[in-house]
Amino acid sequence: MSQFDVTIIGSGPGGYVAAIRCAQLGFKTAIIEKYSTLGGTCLNVGCIPSKALLASSHHYEELQHFADHGIEVSGDVKVNLQKMIDRKQAVVDQTSGGVKYLMDKNKIEVFEGVGSFESATSVKISKKDGSSEVIETKHAIIATGSKPSTLPFIKLDKERVITSTEALKLPEVPKHLVIIGGGVIGIELGQVYMRLGAQVSVVEYMDRIIPGMDGALSKELTKVLKKQGMKFYTSHKVKEVTRKGKNVTIKADNKKGEEVVFEGDYCLVAVGRRPYTDGLNAEKAGVQVNERGQVEVNEHLQTSASNIYAIGDVVRGAMLAHKAEEEGVLVAEYLAGQKPHIDYNLIPGVVYTWPEVAAVGKTEEQLKEEGVAYKSGSFPFKALGRARASGDINGFVKILADKNTDEVLGVHMIGARCADLIAEAVTAMEFRASAEDISRMSHAHPTFAEAIKEAALAATDNRALHV
C-alpha cells in the first residue's frame, strides 16, 4: 500500500498549488482527481475558458469600431462560433497540460479517480474501470471545490436550460439568452453572447447586479452594459422555468408582485455555486460538514479531524481561485511548522467584463454599516489622456480611507485593465498605506494607473489634479 505525507483530493487551483508547495517543502505528496484532466473547475470549465471566450468576443466587438481609429475593414466580419470554442478548448488543454508538467516536475504522484475517506488516514481511489485502490496518508487536504447551484423548481436539461459549464460550448449563438442571476458568472457570459449577437436579459433577485460589490461599481456597470444592449430586471423573483422544444419560458414576480414573463431560446441559471463534497465520505474520517455543505475549519483551515485540512470553495469565504491558492500554500507551510497568514480582507474580486470591475477591502456600504468614519475620493477614466487615446473612457477609481488616520480601507474600480490595476491597491493595503502615500508615488504618464494616484489625491483633501 502506497504511503504519503500529504494527499490532496482535488486538483483545482487550491489543490494543485497546495501539492506543489507541499512537494517544495519536502513532503511526499499525492493528488487525486476524478476527471482525466487536471486543474479543476477553474482551468476546465471556469476562469480560463470563460476568459478565452471573453477575449475572442472582445476582439470581434473591437472590429466594429476600427473605423474610429482610421482602420477600414472591407467585407463582412463573421463569427465562427465553433472555431472560437475550439480555440477556447486549446487554451484549456494547454493550461491543464501545464499543471500536469508541474506535477511531474515536483515529483507529485497523480491518481485519477474519485477520492473518498476510509478513515482519517486512509483514502480510497475509485477508478472509472470499476477498480479501486487505497493509499495511506499522514495528512489530507480536501480541495474538492464547488458545482453550479440551481433553484429547487428548475430542471436543468443542460441543453436549453443550462449552467455556466454548458454555456462555454453552445452549438449556436442564442437569439435570446435569459440569465437568472446578475452575479459575476452571469454578467461575464452574458457579455460574451451579447457581443456575438444575442439579445441578453438578466433577471436578478436583488435590487442590483454584482450585489456583493460596492454599489457605485454596480451602478456604473449597469449603465455601461445597458448602453451596450443588455437588459436588466432587478428585484425580480423567478418562480417557474419551463421548456417546450427550442423555447424556454421564465416567469418571475417583480417587486410589486406582478408577474413578468420572459421567452428565450436559452436560459442560463447563474445563481451561484455550492460546495462539492459528494462521495467524499467525510463522516468516515470524522470531518464535519455544516448545513450549507461547507467543510468546517478553524483559523488554520484544520477540520474536526486534526490531520485533515480543507481549502477553497469547499470552505467558508469567497469562491475565488486565488483565495484557494493562498489557502493551499498556507496549509502546506503550516504543516511544515511555519507561521503563514492570510488577510481575507485583502483578497481582491474581479469581474472580467469590459470595462473590467475590480475591488479590494471594504465597500462603502460596509463602512457605513460598521459605523466607520471614512472619506472617499474618485477619479473618472475619461479624464485620463491614456484612456482617451485608446477610447476606453468608461469607469472610475474610488478610494475609501479612514477619516482620521487616512489609511486606505477599500479600493473600487471599473474601467480598462482594472483586473491588473487592482494589484497596486492590494500591495498598498498590505503595507497599510495611507491615501497620501499613494498620492505621492510617481505613476508613469500616460497610463491607466494614474487614475489610482488621482483618486488618492481626491481622497486627500480633494487634491485631484486632472479633473
Side-chain angles (χ1 to χ4, degrees):
M1 187 180 293
S2 299
Q3 294 189 335
F4 297 91
D5 295 318
V6 185
T7 297
I8 296 107
I9 305 176
S11 73
Y16 85 74
V17 167
I20 292 170
R21 189 68 184 117
C22 283
Q24 287 176 342
L25 291 165
F27 295 112
K28 184 181 179 184
T29 306
I31 193 165
I32 304 169
E33 173 52 57
K34 67 182 290 188
Y35 295 111
S36 59
T37 57
L38 302 176
T41 293
C42 179
L43 270 64
N44 290 282
V45 290
C47 329
I48 301 302
S50 63
K51 301 319 164 272
L53 290 181
L54 279 161
S56 295
S57 62
H58 190 192
H59 287 318
Y60 175 66
E61 183 183 47
E62 283 189 312
L63 276 171
Q64 319 305 313
H65 303 287
F66 270 17
D68 297 342
H69 293 268
I71 304 170
E72 297 182 2
V73 181
S74 59
D76 293 334
V77 178
K78 298 179 180 178
V79 171
N80 184 329
L81 182 61
Q82 188 56 54
K83 192 167 184 178
M84 194 177 286
I85 288 175
D86 289 345
R87 176 191 173 273
K88 176 265 298 180
Q89 191 58 45
V91 172
V92 168
D93 293 343
Q94 183 180 18
T95 308
S96 180
V99 176
K100 179 63 170 66
Y101 163 77
L102 291 171
M103 298 298 100
D104 294 341
K105 176 188 173 185
N106 289 281
K107 298 180 174 56
I108 296 160
E109 190 157 348
V110 178
F111 294 91
E112 183 180 335
V114 176
S116 59
F117 288 105
E118 291 287 283
S119 71
T121 56
S122 298
V123 181
K124 180 181 178 181
I125 303 158
S126 303
K127 303 179 181 180
K128 286 183 180 178
D129 62 7
S131 66
S132 64
E133 67 176 299
V134 177
I135 61 175
E136 289 293 313
T137 188
K138 291 180 184 177
H139 303 282
I141 301 174
I142 300 168
T144 47
S146 61
K147 293 287 184 183
S149 294
T150 185
L151 297 173
F153 54 85
I154 296 178
K155 181 182 179 182
L156 296 167
D157 60 32
K158 300 188 177 182
E159 292 176 352
R160 296 280 169 174
V161 184
I162 60 175
T163 70
S164 56
T165 301
E166 295 76 46
L168 295 167
K169 53 184 179 181
L170 290 182
E172 62 185 348
V173 176
K175 296 180 179 66
H176 183 196
L177 175 63
V178 181
I179 301 172
I180 301 174
V184 176
I185 295 170
I187 296 300
E188 287 183 355
L189 290 171
Q191 191 175 51
V192 167
Y193 287 105
M194 181 176 67
R195 288 167 173 166
L196 302 181
Q199 177 187 342
V200 176
S201 299
V202 177
V203 186
E204 168 58 46
Y205 177 74
M206 303 293 284
D207 61 357
R208 59 188 176 93
I209 63 170
I210 53 170
M213 302 187 87
D214 192 273
L217 298 181
S218 173
K219 184 177 180 181
E220 181 72 6
L221 184 61
T222 300
K223 183 180 78 174
V224 173
L225 292 180
K226 274 185 177 180
K227 192 174 181 180
Q228 293 176 4
M230 196 175 289
K231 296 182 179 179
F232 296 99
Y233 301 86
T234 55
S235 299
H236 279 59
K237 182 180 180 180
V238 174
K239 61 182 182 180
E240 183 180 305
V241 177
T242 55
R243 175 188 171 185
K244 188 174 183 181
K246 294 183 178 181
N247 299 315
V248 183
T249 302
I250 298 93
K251 294 182 179 179
D253 290 335
N254 64 20
K255 60 183 176 182
K256 295 180 181 178
E258 301 164 336
E259 183 175 87
V260 183
V261 179
F262 304 89
E263 300 281 353
D265 53 340
Y266 287 90
C267 174
L268 168 59
V269 181
V271 293
R273 299 181 64 85
R274 64 173 180 86
Y276 184 74
T277 56
D278 300 12
L280 190 61
N281 286 338
E283 66 283 355
K284 279 193 175 183
V287 172
Q288 186 177 347
V289 178
N290 67 25
E291 67 280 357
R292 299 181 64 185
Q294 297 168 326
V295 176
E296 292 277 14
V297 291
N298 63 17
E299 68 273 18
H300 302 300
L301 300 170
Q302 188 176 37
T303 72
S304 49
S306 62
N307 69 314
I308 300 175
Y309 297 76
I311 63 174
D313 290 2
V314 81
V315 302
R316 61 178 181 257
M319 291 185 174
L320 297 169
H322 46 286
K323 177 250 194 188
E325 290 185 15
E326 296 299 325
E327 291 180 330
V329 171
L330 182 143
V331 170
E333 293 180 350
Y334 182 73
L335 289 175
Q338 298 181 15
K339 296 183 178 180
H341 80 283
I342 298 173
D343 185 343
Y344 285 97
N345 184 53
L346 299 186
I347 302 287
V350 179
V351 186
Y352 292 89
T353 49
W354 198 264
E356 293 175 332
V357 184
V360 65
K362 299 289 188 180
T363 66
E364 199 157 351
E365 291 81 4
Q366 287 172 329
L367 292 177
K368 287 178 180 176
E369 186 178 335
E370 293 169 12
V372 177
Y374 70 93
K375 52 187 179 177
S376 175
S378 296
F379 190 82
F381 275 96
K382 66 183 177 182
L384 288 180
R386 182 69 180 85
R388 289 195 296 271
S390 67
D392 294 304
I393 60 173
N394 289 315
F396 60 86
V397 174
K398 179 170 79 169
I399 292 180
L400 304 172
D402 188 284
K403 190 172 184 179
N404 299 312
T405 68
D406 198 38
E407 180 179 351
V408 176
L409 303 175
V411 181
H412 309 275
M413 54 180 76
I414 174 171
R417 306 182 186 177
C418 283
D420 300 301
L421 293 176
I422 197 64
E424 178 180 338
V426 176
T427 303
M429 291 178 67
E430 182 68 46
F431 288 93
R432 301 195 65 174
S434 66
E436 185 172 0
D437 287 332
I438 298 175
S439 74
R440 293 190 178 277
M441 292 165 52
S442 178
H443 287 63
H445 174 77
T447 61
F448 291 101
E450 288 177 281
I452 299 175
K453 176 186 175 80
E454 291 279 358
L457 282 165
T460 310
D461 299 324
N462 198 27
R463 294 196 288 118
L465 298 169
H466 290 91
V467 69

